[in-house]
Amino acid sequence: MKKKFLTWMLTFGYALAMTGCANNDTAQAITQSTEQSESADADSSAGQQAEDASEQAEDNSEQTEDTSEQDLENNPEYIALMEKISQSKAGVPDENGNFTIGTFGSLHSASISLLPDQEYNVSATNYLITKTPEAEDNNYTHIQYSFVEDTTEEAIANSATDDEQYQEDQYDDVEISSIQTADVNGMSVSWVKHSYTYSYFSEYAKYYGWTMVDDHTGFLIYIEIYGDVGMDTDDNLLNEAFQGVTLT
């Protein structure tokens, strides 16, 4: 079977509620037409004023955003963080042997010490993926560390416990644990384990672990283990991965 690693991607949607006003469909006398016209003009003027105010608010918001980004780009801490991230993107660890990832538009970052049996694979600003060195197609472990912004803990939990991906006939013996919690390395960590057999001859174990950095930013570790049916897995692996992370 061809080796396949699926990264944990979280997609969130937003819904907008629209409200409307009922129109008055009662027939009016001809003598009221002038009043209606004046009322319509007043409504139109009020509507235009509201639209102008809304546009002004948007402009102010964009100006604030631009100013915030400019302030961040001139921040020495942010510049130093971006330099570390650029170094990690090139596959080069820092002086302590760690790799760095961060969030977009803030100073949240993670310094990551790789597990002993893992090596650097690829990274970007907000994620790092490691792999088993010289892994066989039927026996490997991949680990993904990542930040997710503009989210909630509930949204992450819903994604981590989703079972829709296992609806096809190739999946058997699917088990998804309840959400577990633990204090690891100064972090309050939640995690879920998925396990299943695929096409009767291979087995997967997947660990989804997360902790909230602030009210709308999560730090995630996703581990995928693939091997022969009956393989042994160690639930402590996720704990060890979080032990190697320092969040700021």
Side-chain angles (χ1 to χ4, degrees), residues 68-187:
S68 177
E69 288 178 1
Q70 289 172 5
D71 290 344
L72 197 58
E73 289 174 358
N74 295 324
N75 186 322
E77 291 182 54
Y78 184 75
I79 294 171
L81 174 59
M82 289 300 104
E83 289 176 352
K84 284 188 175 182
I85 290 174
S86 295
Q87 182 175 326
S88 294
K89 287 180 181 179
V92 180
D94 63 20
E95 64 276 8
N96 298 314
N98 298 335
F99 294 88
T100 301
I101 62 174
T103 51
F104 296 99
S106 75
L107 286 171
H108 290 313
S109 66
S111 177
I112 300 167
S113 175
L114 306 192
L115 292 181
D117 61 347
Q118 290 285 292
E119 68 178 13
Y120 175 92
N121 185 12
V122 66
S123 70
T125 297
N126 66 333
Y127 72 83
L128 165 71
I129 298 174
T130 71
K131 64 180 181 178
T132 307
E134 300 179 0
E136 301 290 336
D137 281 354
N138 62 343
N139 185 2
Y140 67 83
T141 299
H142 282 142
I143 302 177
Q144 176 177 314
Y145 306 80
S146 61
F147 280 103
V148 175
E149 300 176 77
D150 299 323
T151 188
T152 63
E153 185 161 13
E154 181 182 7
I156 294 174
N158 288 340
S159 178
T161 55
D162 181 26
D163 64 352
E164 289 187 6
Q165 58 187 304
Y166 306 121
Q167 301 305 312
E168 299 178 7
D169 295 338
Q170 297 98 317
Y171 298 100
D172 293 291
D173 303 321
V174 177
E175 292 184 13
I176 300 177
S177 74
S178 59
I179 296 176
Q180 310 293 310
T181 58
D183 291 327
V184 184
N185 195 20
M187 294 173 279

Side-chain angles (χ1 to χ4, degrees), residues 27-39:
Q28 301 294 324
I30 295 177
T31 55
Q32 294 176 323
S33 62
T34 302
E35 294 178 1
Q36 289 176 341
S37 176
E38 291 175 352
S39 175

Side-chain angles (χ1 to χ4, degrees), residues 191-193 205-209 221-223 225 233-235 238:
W191 63 278
V192 172
K193 178 183 179 181
K206 297 179 178 180
Y207 294 90
Y208 299 78
I221 296 181
Y222 166 68
I223 301 176
I225 305 170
T233 57
D234 183 2
D235 291 351
L238 187 63

